[in-house]
Amino acid sequence: RRRDVLTVTPWLAPIVWEGTFDPDVLDSAYKPLNLTIGVTAFAVGKYTRFVRRFLDSAEQHFLRGYRVNYYIFTDSPQSIPRPQLQPGRSLVTVPVQGYPSWQEISMRRMEAINRHVAKESQGQVRYLFCLDIDMVFHNPWGPETLGDMVAAIHPGYFDVPREQFPYERRSSSAAFIPEGEGDFYYGGAVFGGLVEKVYEFTKMCHMTILADKANGIMAVWQEESHLNRHFLSHKPSKLLSPEYIWDDRKPKPPQIHLVRFSTVNKNYKEVRN
Amino acid sequence: RRDVLVLTPWLAPIVWEGTFSRDILDAQYLQKNLVTGVVTFAVEKYWLFIEGFMSSANKYFLAGHPVNFYLFTDSPEKISHLQMAPENHLFVIPVQDDPRWQDLSRSRMDILSSYIQRQFQHEVDYLYSMDINVQLLAHIGVEIIDALVATISSWQVTPQQDNKASETQPESQSAIPEGQGDFYYTASFYGGSVAEVYKLTRACSAGLVEDRENGIEGPWHHESHLNRYLLQHKPTRLLSPEYYWDTEL
């Protein structure tokens, strides 16, 4: 049990921290269901270099013992490594267009995921997680993360007051969240849920991204701003603590007992061009 | 709330005053256009409780949201006119009850599952079973709405201690092995989605029938079966003992 952190939201969604759950109880509830869980990750341009570490660490820590389909969205399928995977796990590459700017690549992810769900993955998986590729698993990520609609609390903002959340503050953007509103600041690197919920969610985000485009505006944190807007109106049914979306550049505060998934140290200037 | 457990080991929230915002939950509930039903039994002398129960439930149970009250009774003629809120409906369903108390709990589970199948599933999205001999003293709102919801008994005992009501006859279908058991739930208030409540009542009913055929029965019997079921099919949400306080305590 954790008394030092919030473990339930005001709308009664659990917030998953180490110490709040029993992995054995959850495994015994979920394993018999014979689920297949999907993971989407985008490796476009220079980001293909992150695939190997992502996959190797996922094989070790991500829903071990469950059936998993990796969907690697890429503009160069031939440069995607295909390591040996555990039984019941598979990898497919999904061709996507490269775009001239990293912001554009980032924002188009919602559309690509939504299209892919409609076309393929909805028949193949029950749950789908959409993760950033430039990250690595360090500790178990298990069925405690499964839920109808799952968001993760951004590591930079879990302990700061709402006024400091970097929501989009221009009212001309469809991602606008006024001062005084907002529950949490969620990170764009991790979200997921039932595949049909992810379909609806990515569609809504893509619509508002397009609306902004038509008005010549780009939200301050790209699709992350839109994700936050939508999670404000359609609250997630489960939240993951920053253990599940950590940034290794940050010093570990006392509330973080276990880092499960975190960013790879990289040279932003170099990979984004 | 730091003084109480608010999350089970399987990440189901435990609803205590102070853990939730009814406004946020109401907004979510309204988005979905749901109807909730309440089932209660008033047989033999229990018809005396009808008026008290109905007037408090009408006032405090999911106030402002449409509720269908399904009142099973063997004395429908004794029911005086009850004033209902405009969004609520009362359905009085006459039943012929078994003279024996033990069969009462079995036939309730039976009655409930068969009515869900032929009627309730078409009329409500969520369904709650409540004992009639209670009065609601404060609002019970949409914080109770979830797939499978059970109330922690105010007689809560930890698995390590000796149980007042936990089935001790090992041959019973409801026996919970020593040391197991997450919480002890009261049969006086439980519910969830119509589909989940159907599965639960069918399973408990079958267990009770089997036990009776083997000569095993007892006054707490349907509660034991409920607990056994919920051990194997964990509730998605728990209500704290605030939601059903046994005044015998």
Side-chain angles (χ1 to χ4, degrees):
Chain A
R1 132 134 89 142
R2 295 288 296 266
R3 288 185 218 236
D4 57 321
V5 287
L6 186 68
T7 58
V8 180
T9 70
W11 60 94
L12 295 171
I15 306 177
V16 186
W17 296 87
E18 178 65 8
T20 57
F21 63 94
D22 182 337
D24 294 331
V25 172
L26 287 163
D27 267 337
S28 62
Y30 280 102
K31 280 224 168 114
L33 303 177
N34 245 325
L35 303 162
T36 306
I37 292 107
V39 180
T40 67
F42 283 71
V44 175
K46 294 193 179 140
Y47 276 68
T48 51
R49 69 184 62 179
F50 298 112
V51 177
R52 180 97 218 187
R53 274 192 79 186
F54 177 92
L55 286 176
D56 284 347
S57 64
E59 282 297 284
Q60 234 205 315
H61 296 296
F62 182 83
L63 285 166
R64 238 199 131 115
Y66 290 79
R67 303 174 60 90
V68 170
N69 292 355
Y70 299 102
Y71 302 103
I72 306 295
F73 292 66
T74 181
D75 57 349
S76 53
Q78 68 283 358
S79 49
I80 302 299
R82 286 163 190 271
Q84 180 85 322
L85 301 176
Q86 301 273 332
R89 296 160 86 102
S90 71
L91 180 146
V92 294
T93 55
V94 180
V96 290
Q97 202 183 330
Y99 284 94
S101 76
W102 69 266
Q103 295 95 330
E104 186 70 27
I105 293 171
S106 195
M107 306 259 277
R108 288 280 176 183
R109 295 192 303 174
M110 291 295 183
E111 177 188 33
I113 293 167
N114 182 260
R115 283 230 175 106
H116 189 255
V117 168
K119 201 173 129 202
E120 299 261 341
S121 40
Q122 44 134 347
Q124 299 169 352
V125 303
R126 184 96 205 278
Y127 292 94
L128 188 66
F129 281 103
C130 304
L131 307 178
D132 271 8
I133 192 88
D134 53 349
M135 302 191 56
V136 172
F137 294 90
H138 300 287
N139 275 293
W141 174 306
E144 71 280 0
T145 59
L146 298 175
D148 283 14
M149 193 69 229
V150 183
I153 301 174
H154 192 292
Y157 302 95
F158 76 96
D159 217 9
V160 311
R162 168 203 283 180
E163 304 77 63
Q164 291 179 33
F165 292 167
Y167 291 143
E168 174 54 64
R169 298 296 189 187
R170 292 167 293 175
S171 54
S172 49
S173 165
F176 172 59
I177 295 179
E179 299 283 345
E181 289 186 35
D183 307 309
F184 296 89
Y185 191 76
Y186 304 108
V190 172
F191 66 93
L194 289 169
V195 71
E196 57 270 22
K197 297 279 183 194
V198 174
Y199 176 80
E200 285 163 20
F201 182 77
T202 50
K203 181 160 225 107
M204 286 196 299
C205 286
H206 182 60
M207 292 289 114
T208 50
I209 288 171
L210 281 183
D212 272 8
K213 234 188 163 72
N215 289 325
I217 187 170
M218 181 190 295
V220 61
W221 287 105
Q222 296 81 47
E223 82 278 15
E224 185 174 89
S225 307
H226 291 269
L227 176 141
N228 272 278
R229 171 69 249 180
H230 290 291
F231 277 140
L232 179 58
S233 344
H234 301 83
K235 298 187 191 308
S237 63
K238 182 176 278 189
L239 266 55
L240 304 181
S241 69
E243 295 166 9
Y244 293 84
I245 183 178
W246 193 246
D247 183 344
D248 277 342
R249 291 169 300 177
K250 294 191 161 0
K252 231 168 65 161
Q255 301 97 320
I256 304 291
H257 296 180
L258 200 66
V259 171
R260 302 173 198 267
F261 187 54
S262 68
T263 49
V264 171
N265 262 325
K266 61 185 172 288
N267 181 332
Y268 279 90
K269 278 212 195 77
E270 207 245 313
V271 288
R272 278 177 174 173
N273 287 302
Chain B
R1 292 291 295 264
R2 286 180 211 243
D3 55 321
V4 290
L5 188 67
V6 295
L7 210 55
T8 68
W10 60 93
L11 295 171
I14 305 176
V15 185
W16 295 88
E17 184 63 22
T19 58
F20 64 94
S21 156
R22 196 167 277 137
D23 289 341
I24 298 181
L25 290 170
D26 270 337
Q28 283 184 320
Y29 186 81
L30 282 168
Q31 265 178 354
K32 297 179 216 160
N33 263 325
L34 300 166
V35 181
T36 296
V38 174
V39 167
T40 190
F41 286 79
V43 294
E44 295 178 13
K45 304 184 298 297
Y46 282 74
W47 69 266
L48 288 160
F49 292 105
I50 293 176
E51 192 160 347
F53 174 85
M54 283 308 309
S55 66
S56 66
N58 191 45
K59 187 172 165 204
Y60 287 125
F61 190 84
L62 287 179
H65 298 289
V67 179
N68 288 357
F69 290 93
Y70 299 106
L71 176 58
F72 289 91
T73 181
D74 57 356
S75 29
E77 70 287 352
K78 293 211 178 85
I79 300 175
S80 55
H81 176 72
L82 298 160
Q83 185 82 322
M84 301 293 291
E87 63 273 4
N88 293 346
H89 293 94
L90 172 63
F91 299 90
V92 178
I93 306 175
V95 284
Q96 271 313 109
D97 232 328
D98 253 287
R100 298 171 60 211
W101 166 248
Q102 289 86 347
D103 286 346
L104 199 71
S105 26
R106 182 206 69 180
S107 52
R108 280 189 200 192
M109 289 288 190
D110 260 348
I111 289 171
L112 192 40
S113 64
S114 73
Y115 270 85
I116 289 174
Q117 210 230 359
R118 58 195 230 216
Q119 184 182 343
F120 301 161
Q121 57 160 327
H122 305 295
E123 296 178 356
V124 298
D125 306 289
Y126 290 89
L127 190 64
Y128 290 81
S129 170
M130 291 181 83
D131 274 3
I132 192 130
N133 55 340
V134 296
Q135 282 216 29
L136 280 70
L137 303 166
H139 283 285
I140 292 185
V142 300
E143 66 276 8
I144 68 169
I145 304 295
D146 205 47
L148 184 58
V149 183
T151 308
I152 300 171
S153 175
S154 41
W155 289 96
Q156 167 69 56
V157 288
T158 61
Q160 291 80 38
Q161 293 172 18
D162 249 334
N163 248 291
K164 159 180 110 135
S166 202
E167 187 60 55
T168 49
Q169 288 171 281
E171 318 82 58
S172 165
Q173 291 303 309
S174 70
I176 294 177
E178 203 62 57
Q180 284 191 33
D182 310 301
F183 299 88
Y184 190 76
Y185 306 110
T186 173
S188 303
F189 186 18
Y190 65 89
S193 70
V194 128
E196 288 297 328
V197 177
Y198 181 71
K199 289 197 297 205
L200 183 156
T201 50
R202 285 285 298 234
C204 290
S205 186
L208 284 159
V209 166
E210 192 163 346
D211 270 6
R212 188 161 165 255
E213 280 166 9
N214 295 327
I216 303 172
E217 39 201 8
W220 295 102
H221 226 59
H222 67 301
E223 195 166 80
S224 311
H225 280 272
L226 179 82
N227 274 275
R228 174 78 179 172
Y229 181 84
L230 293 172
L231 181 64
Q232 295 166 333
H233 306 80
K234 303 217 179 294
T236 59
R237 188 167 294 193
L238 265 54
L239 305 180
S240 69
E242 292 165 355
Y243 284 81
Y244 186 79
W245 191 255
D246 192 337
T247 51
E248 275 183 60
L249 277 171

